[in-house]
């Protein structure tokens, strides 16, 4: 941008309100003054305002002084002003800073354009939207450079938060701020300031996290309201109406507001046209305010009586459900219930579905409950019970969920024969839901298998789709209980079949990915994942957990196979910004922690695991807590927190496995490594048992892990049992990148070659496998941070890389390394791994 003042006559900074135009313009001004010297550059300030936007030349009185335009043509008057300014400056350069150029009256804008064209005067213009044609022509003709200031990306928001808070920021906090601000710099700053002030954003174990949802405070509300209050009455009505009803269908808005006023607001950037989705999944244009946080500020400033009056203009005359947006439908139901208006129970059930789709699970339960309170119609009651049961299961309230689904099944069984036959699909749906509650809520997979077999066997002759549904349900349920036999049979079929086949076939994709991963055919697992991911996303509305399952199993596949860079690129969270999906946030925390552990960033991993732990204590709808706790135990051991690692190992043993059974190989590997690091005498027995368990199931990758653990724990036993030969045979069946490194490590240990062993340790670390080291019976002389850095140095990482991973300076890392050398009695990095190994002997 600064080059524009050297090669052109200035610049136009174009961006939304709060994008940072003024800040960037002022920084540019400071730099220009530093380059030219304060005495060589004279600045004039001009600002547009809504109050004076219709008064000719009101904004430029600082330039015109006592000159009167009178009847002089604009160009002649501009020459007079131009001469006056140059005379005043006595040879110095002249620059005019113009803020809110979109609010300039036409005459002021034209005068500025003429001054620029006359030469020797530069302009630095900040504008929110397209300004007057006279100024537009300046950048069109190349006199000014146009600089568009986009919204911040998620990565830029993370950087901004880290700088503002002075430390690393949790991914969930970044996501929430990004969702609320849409990357608007001013909104990001204000939301973080308000969050810190209200303790919604707090430091935890060296990282900033969200303790609760950050909401705008009085200061931010006042800033937004001051802007809204400057609007005309018609403009304010539209802005407040959209704030209450967004996303508001454009077709609906056109019947409610003056199109001219709406066009003016859209041109100014206060209202934006976006794409929404109706209840029946038809894309339509919708209206929104600039950012969700902006809309919330507007809503907070609306008095209750005015709020009701505005909503009445939208919902007073009934809009057909099919033509409403999903969020609008949910808001309509909330408003009608709040006002005590009569709502048909069937419409409340539809609203419950809409609320569920956008992640408003408690609202879905409320709507379903309201429908049950208003009707005895068995068909409507069946739907309401089913919706409520599904949401209660996701909120990890299995007892209430089971009651609801059993009520629905009982009502369905009492339907007349004709009605029951017509809703046969619903009969199957209800029993699938009952099985979900039993398997994932109560950890009773056998009951789930039994009821699915019985209900399908008891059905009339199954058509092709029903038969496919039954088979895929069995494959999915068996796999999530740890039985991958049926999934292995389906993997080849999925790899070569049509995409998507049927939506029911998508249930088998995540199990097939895991099945191929544990058996070692990770290339085919990845091919299946990449093949079906787009189709799963398309079905996310009707089968909301399928897309998340495929995404997260692909993520784990990349980690355990050694594709760490690919896992980092993918990320642990499948949700796009602003998107709701049926995914437990604790699982994304645990996934990110598992990746950080694979990268050797143990302290960060431990912090993420602890956050996931607290979340799983509140809610664990599917049963992934055991897997996360095993990872936390390993991280706690690696950072030197032996007491917590011991407690976590016991906790894993007493935590119901549920869906964690599908990750049992990873759970077992983490626990054995942790027990070995803690010096448990049963670590060898556990590793040997894991080897036999993996052999029985044909899990070649898991068996290779187990052999590596046996070798690390007891080289003599590994030598006697032929671990090196068996590892070499397994490597022929495992195509994971980490396989060769595992074989090299086992063979080096068995051969007693410490040089090769150290090289293999470093190689394993690059693939995300960290060789456990057993603690001595006495307290370690190394601090937690020193233990963490020592493990990274032993893996061959440089101080620079370690500093980047741990968010430390290279100097701090070198200081820690020096202390480690002193405590361990070594003086070179290549001696450190051997010293650690001696301490574990």
């Amino acid at each position: 941008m600064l080059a524009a003042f050297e090669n052109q006559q200035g610049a136009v900074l174009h961006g939304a309100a709060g994008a940072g135009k003024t800040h960037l313009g002022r920084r540019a001004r400071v730099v220009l003054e530093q380059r030219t010297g304060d005495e060589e550059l004279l600045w004039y300030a001009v600002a547009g305002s809504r109050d004076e936007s219709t008064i000719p030349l009101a904004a430029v009185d600082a330039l015109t002084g006592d000159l009167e335009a009178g009847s002089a043509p604009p160009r002649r008057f501009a020459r007079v002003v131009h001469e006056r300014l140059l005379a005043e400056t006595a040879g110095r350069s002249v620059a005019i800073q113009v803020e809110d150029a979109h609010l300039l009256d036409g005459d002021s804008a034209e005068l500025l354009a003429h001054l620029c064209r006359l030469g020797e005067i530069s302009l630095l213009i900040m504008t929110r939207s397209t300004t007057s044609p006279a100024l537009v022509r300046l950048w069109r003709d190349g006199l000014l450079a146009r600089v568009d200031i986009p919204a911040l990306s998620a990565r830029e928001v993370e950087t901004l938060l880290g700088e503002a808070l002075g430390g690393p920021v949790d991914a969930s906090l970044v996501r929430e701020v990004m969702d609320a601000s849409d990357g608007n710099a001013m909104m990001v700053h204000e939301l973080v300031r308000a969050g810190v002030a209200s303790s919604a954003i707090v430091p935890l174990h060296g990282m900033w996290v969200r303790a609760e949802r950050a909401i705008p405070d009085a200061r931010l509300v006042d800033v937004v309201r001051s802007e809204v209050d400057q609007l005309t009455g018609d403009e304010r009505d539209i802005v407040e109406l959209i704030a209450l009803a967004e996303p508001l269908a454009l077709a609906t808005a056109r019947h409610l507001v003056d199109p001219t006023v709406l066009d003016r607001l859209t041109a100014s950037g206060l209202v934006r046209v976006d794409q929404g989705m109706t209840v029946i999944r038809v894309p339509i244009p919708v209206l929104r305010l600039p950012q969700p946080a902006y809309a919330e500020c507007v809503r907070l400033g609306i008095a209750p009586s005015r709020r009701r009056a505005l909503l009445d203009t939208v919902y007073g005359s009934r809009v057909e459900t099919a033509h409403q947006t999903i969020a609008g439908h949910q808001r309509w139901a909330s408003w009608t219930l709040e006002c005590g208006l009569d709502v048909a129970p069937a419409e409340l059930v539809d609203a419950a579905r809409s609320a569920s789709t956008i992640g408003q699970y408690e609202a879905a339960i409320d709507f379903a409950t309201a429908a049950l309170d208003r009707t005895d119609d068995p068909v409507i009651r069946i739907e309401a019970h089913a919706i409520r049961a599904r949401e209660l299961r996701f909120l990890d309230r299995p007892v209430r969920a089971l009651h609801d689904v059993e009520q629905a099944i009982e009502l369905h069984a009492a339907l007349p024969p004709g009605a029951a036959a017509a809703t046969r699909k619903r009969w199957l749906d209800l029993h699938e839901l009952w099985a979900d509650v039993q398997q994932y809520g109560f950890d009773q997979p056998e009951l789930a298998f039994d009821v699915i077999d019985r209900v399908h066997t008891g059905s009339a002759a199954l058509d092709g789709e029903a038969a496919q549904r039954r088979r895929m349900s069995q494959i999915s349920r068996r796999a999530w209980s740890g039985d991958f036999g049926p999934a292995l049979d389906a993997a080849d079929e999925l790899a070569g079949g049509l995409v998507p086949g049927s939506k029911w076939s998508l249930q088998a994709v995540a199990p097939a990915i895991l099945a191929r991963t544990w058996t070692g055919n990770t290339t085919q697992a990845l091919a299946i994942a990449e093949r079906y991911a787009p189709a799963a996303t398309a079905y996310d509305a009707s089968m909301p957990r399928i897309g998340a399952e495929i995404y997260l199993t692909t993520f784990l596949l990349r980690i355990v196979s050694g594709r760490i860079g690919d896992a980092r690129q993918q990320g642990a969270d499948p949700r796009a910004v602003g998107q709701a999906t049926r995914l437990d946030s604790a699982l994304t925390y645990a996934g990110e922690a598992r990746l950080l552990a694979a990268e050797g960033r143990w302290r960060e991993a431990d912090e993420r695991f602890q956050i996931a732990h607290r979340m799983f204590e509140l809610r664990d709808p599917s049963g992934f807590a055991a897997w996360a706790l095993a990872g936390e135990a390993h991280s706690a051991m690696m950072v030197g927190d032996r007491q917590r690692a011991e407690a976590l190992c016991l906790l894993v043993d007493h935590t119901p496995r549920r869906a964690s059974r599908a990750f049992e190989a990873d759970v077992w590997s983490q626990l054995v490594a942790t027990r070995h690091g803690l010096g448990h005498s049963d670590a060898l027995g556990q590793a040997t048992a894991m080897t036999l368990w993996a052999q029985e199931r044909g899990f070649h990758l898991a068996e290779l892990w187990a052999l590596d653990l046996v070798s690390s724990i007891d080289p003599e036993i590994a030598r006697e049992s032929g671990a090196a030969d068996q590892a070499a045979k397994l490597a022929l069946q495992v195509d994971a990148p980490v396989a060769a490194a595992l074989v090299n490590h086992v063979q080096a240990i068995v051969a007693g070659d410490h040089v090769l062993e150290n090289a293999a340790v470093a190689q394993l670390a690059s693939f995300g496998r960290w060789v456990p080291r057993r603690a001595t019976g006495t307290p370690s002389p190394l601090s937690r941070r020193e233990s963490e850095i020592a493990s990274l140095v032993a893996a061959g990482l440089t101080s620079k890389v370690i500093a980047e991973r741990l968010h430390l300076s290279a100097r701090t890392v070198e200081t820690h390394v020096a202390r480690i050398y002193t405590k361990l009695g070594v003086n070179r990095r290549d001696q450190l791994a051997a010293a650690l190994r001696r301490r574990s002997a």
Side-chain angles (χ1 to χ4, degrees):
M1 183 185 71
L2 295 175
F5 287 85
E6 298 173 355
N7 305 322
Q8 295 164 286
Q9 287 182 241
V12 177
L13 307 184
H14 187 281
K21 302 182 298 297
T22 300
H23 176 69
L24 182 59
R26 289 172 180 169
R27 284 182 60 188
R29 177 171 168 173
V30 169
V31 174
L32 285 169
E33 289 173 347
Q34 290 173 346
R35 285 188 179 182
T36 60
D38 291 345
E39 298 180 358
E40 299 298 322
L41 184 61
L42 181 62
W43 284 92
Y44 289 90
V46 170
S49 71
R50 193 174 298 276
D51 291 340
E52 297 179 338
S53 60
T54 59
I55 303 173
L57 300 175
V60 293
D61 55 358
L63 307 179
T64 59
D66 56 1
L67 296 176
E68 295 288 343
S71 59
R75 289 186 182 180
R76 183 179 301 171
F77 181 63
R79 287 194 190 95
V80 174
V81 176
H82 187 267
E83 292 170 359
R84 174 182 178 276
L85 292 175
L86 293 181
E88 283 185 355
T89 60
R92 288 181 291 173
S93 299
V94 178
I96 303 173
Q97 180 173 320
V98 185
E99 298 197 30
D100 292 330
H102 55 285
L103 297 178
L104 290 174
D105 62 276
D107 290 348
S108 293
E110 191 169 1
L111 174 63
L112 290 167
H114 285 312
L115 291 174
C116 181
R117 290 184 181 278
L118 287 168
E120 300 183 82
I121 293 180
S122 300
L123 297 181
L124 178 57
I125 299 174
M126 279 76 81
T127 184
R128 183 183 304 182
S129 56
T130 301
T131 184
S132 74
L135 294 179
V136 170
R137 285 193 290 270
L138 291 178
W139 73 71
R140 186 194 66 187
D141 295 342
L143 291 171
L144 299 181
R146 170 168 168 158
V147 180
D148 289 299
I149 303 176
L152 301 173
S153 67
R155 187 173 295 278
E156 289 169 333
V157 168
E158 182 176 13
T159 300
L160 184 60
L161 292 182
E163 291 176 353
L165 295 170
V169 181
D170 181 70
S172 179
L173 173 57
V174 175
R175 179 186 179 83
E176 179 176 292
V177 173
M178 187 69 189
D179 284 349
S181 67
D182 272 350
N184 182 273
M186 185 272 285
M187 282 292 172
V188 170
H189 178 270
E190 289 295 326
L191 286 170
V192 172
R193 181 196 53 74
V196 172
S198 66
S199 297
I201 299 174
V202 297
L204 179 66
H205 303 298
M207 176 172 293
W208 288 89
V209 302
R210 60 183 290 273
E212 57 189 51
R213 191 175 78 87
I215 60 174
D217 63 357
R219 172 173 140 171
L220 181 53
V221 172
D222 287 345
V223 169
V224 172
R225 286 305 311 183
S226 66
E227 181 172 293
V228 173
D229 289 343
Q230 293 180 37
L231 302 174
T232 66
D234 289 343
E235 290 172 337
R236 186 167 58 253
D237 287 348
I238 294 175
V239 167
E240 291 182 343
L241 189 64
I242 294 172
L244 291 171
E246 74 170 4
L248 179 62
L250 181 58
T252 302
R254 282 175 174 157
H255 296 296
L256 303 174
V257 302
D258 184 342
T260 304
V261 180
L262 181 58
D263 290 344
R264 189 163 65 241
L265 289 169
T266 303
S268 72
L270 267 178
V271 173
R272 59 189 175 101
V273 181
D274 201 355
Q275 186 179 73
M277 194 74 70
T278 68
V279 173
I280 58 174
R281 304 296 193 277
V282 175
I284 58 170
V286 297
L287 301 176
R288 299 181 187 272
L289 294 188
Q291 303 91 27
Y294 189 100
E296 186 167 8
C297 288
V298 174
R299 288 193 292 271
L300 290 171
I302 303 174
S305 58
R306 178 167 172 76
R307 178 175 179 273
R308 177 161 182 170
L310 287 167
L311 285 172
D312 190 52
T313 64
V314 181
Y315 302 129
S317 56
R318 183 74 174 91
V319 179
E320 290 296 324
T321 296
H323 298 152
Q324 291 195 53
T325 64
I326 298 173
H329 188 214
Q330 186 248 322
R331 283 205 177 93
W332 164 80
S334 296
W335 178 77
T336 50
L337 289 176
E338 181 183 313
C339 294
L341 302 178
D342 188 29
V343 189
E347 291 181 328
L348 286 170
V349 169
D350 287 339
R353 291 194 192 96
S354 294
S356 175
T357 299
I358 60 176
Q360 299 292 327
Y361 308 122
E362 293 287 0
I365 292 171
D366 291 342
F367 294 148
T369 301
L372 290 168
D373 291 341
R374 285 167 166 76
T375 185
D376 293 324
D377 184 316
V379 174
I380 295 175
R381 291 185 67 84
I382 289 169
E383 291 296 317
H385 276 301
I387 291 171
R388 194 166 70 177
R390 186 173 61 247
E391 305 314 315
L392 287 168
R393 191 197 82 72
F394 180 70
L395 295 175
D396 204 12
R397 304 171 193 169
V399 175
R400 290 180 58 194
L402 185 64
H403 174 76
D404 263 314
V405 72
E406 288 180 342
Q407 289 284 306
I409 291 172
E410 183 178 331
L411 285 167
H412 195 284
L415 290 174
T423 57
R424 194 66 193 171
K425 178 179 177 298
R426 169 51 69 192
W427 178 250
L428 297 177
D429 289 344
L430 291 173
H431 283 84
E432 288 278 3
L433 182 54
W434 188 92
D436 282 348
V437 176
Q438 292 291 355
Q439 180 166 356
Y440 306 117
F442 293 110
D443 197 23
Q444 297 289 335
E446 294 299 330
L447 284 178
F449 304 157
D450 180 62
V451 75
I452 294 301
D453 287 342
R454 281 192 293 104
V455 74
H456 281 284
T457 302
S459 299
L462 298 176
D463 58 24
E465 180 177 343
Q468 178 79 337
R469 175 179 180 173
R470 176 186 184 180
R471 179 171 173 245
M472 293 303 165
S473 177
Q474 291 172 329
I475 290 171
S476 176
R477 292 187 184 284
R478 291 281 176 184
W480 290 111
S481 71
D483 177 5
F484 287 101
L488 285 170
D489 294 337
D492 291 333
E493 178 184 329
L494 289 169
L498 296 175
V499 179
S502 76
K503 69 179 182 182
W504 304 113
S505 67
L506 294 174
Q507 292 184 85
V509 173
I513 292 169
L514 288 171
R516 285 304 184 207
T517 297
W518 302 135
T519 57
N521 192 345
T522 63
T523 301
Q524 187 186 64
L526 273 176
I528 293 172
E530 292 167 359
R531 203 161 193 261
Y532 284 89
T537 302
Y539 277 114
D540 203 49
S542 58
M543 304 182 71
R545 74 177 185 223
I546 300 299
E549 286 178 356
I550 293 174
Y551 188 100
L552 291 169
T553 51
T554 305
F555 177 73
L556 182 63
L557 151 64
R558 289 184 162 126
I559 292 175
V560 300
S561 65
R563 297 174 173 91
I564 306 304
D566 292 344
R568 171 55 63 196
Q569 185 175 3
Q570 177 185 337
D573 195 337
R575 296 168 294 187
V577 172
Q579 177 192 18
T581 190
R582 193 168 296 271
L583 176 71
D584 193 26
S585 295
L587 190 53
T588 63
Y589 273 101
E592 173 66 16
R594 182 65 180 84
L595 175 56
L596 288 167
E599 293 172 332
R601 297 160 63 176
W602 296 108
R603 188 163 299 281
E604 292 174 77
D606 193 45
E607 289 164 355
R608 294 289 206 296
F609 273 128
Q610 289 185 65
I611 294 171
H613 186 161
R614 284 187 290 276
M615 287 183 167
F616 277 128
E617 285 178 338
L618 297 174
R619 186 179 72 189
D620 182 20
S622 296
F624 289 104
W627 171 67
L629 291 170
E632 184 186 352
H634 192 204
S635 292
M637 184 269 295
M638 292 299 286
V639 300
D641 194 341
R642 298 184 66 229
Q643 185 174 1
R644 185 160 59 87
E646 293 274 12
L648 286 164
C649 286
L650 291 174
L651 185 58
V652 174
D653 291 339
H654 292 87
T655 298
R657 284 292 199 268
R658 296 193 281 167
S660 290
R661 288 189 179 92
F663 297 168
E664 189 68 22
D666 199 37
V667 172
W668 208 330
S669 174
Q670 300 285 325
L671 286 179
V672 172
T674 304
R675 287 186 167 112
H676 172 45
L678 293 172
H680 283 204
S681 59
D682 67 344
L684 178 61
Q686 289 287 320
T688 303
M690 179 182 173
T691 305
L692 297 174
W693 172 84
Q695 284 177 349
E696 290 173 0
R697 289 159 178 77
F699 290 175
H700 304 312
L701 177 58
E703 184 182 352
L704 197 50
W705 286 353
L707 288 173
D708 186 57
L709 288 166
V710 169
S711 302
S712 298
I713 297 168
D714 194 326
E716 188 60 35
I717 291 293
R719 194 174 296 113
E720 293 174 358
S721 64
D725 292 339
Q726 179 62 13
K729 291 177 183 177
L730 289 170
L732 299 176
Q733 299 172 285
V734 177
D735 62 13
V738 72
L742 287 166
V743 175
N744 291 341
H745 188 237
V746 172
Q747 291 178 339
I749 290 175
V750 169
D753 190 329
H754 295 315
V755 174
L756 288 179
E757 183 182 348
N758 289 341
V761 167
Q763 189 182 21
L764 280 173
S766 69
F767 290 117
R769 298 292 298 177
W770 297 82
V771 177
R773 59 182 193 279
R774 183 171 61 83
T776 61
T778 58
S780 169
L782 301 181
S783 69
R784 290 186 186 180
R785 178 65 86 182
E786 289 167 349
S787 296
E788 183 177 24
I789 291 175
S791 68
L792 296 174
V793 172
L797 275 65
T798 66
S799 293
K800 181 180 179 182
V801 173
I802 295 172
E804 290 173 352
R805 290 194 176 189
L806 302 182
H807 302 293
L808 300 172
S809 69
R811 183 185 296 273
T812 299
V813 172
E814 289 294 349
T815 300
H816 281 299
V817 171
R819 290 173 182 165
I820 292 167
Y821 285 175
T822 300
K823 291 181 177 182
L824 297 184
V826 300
N827 54 26
R828 296 199 314 271
R829 286 174 177 256
D830 60 356
Q831 296 173 335
L832 193 145
L836 291 175
R837 189 166 52 250
R838 285 195 301 272
R839 291 176 64 245
S840 67

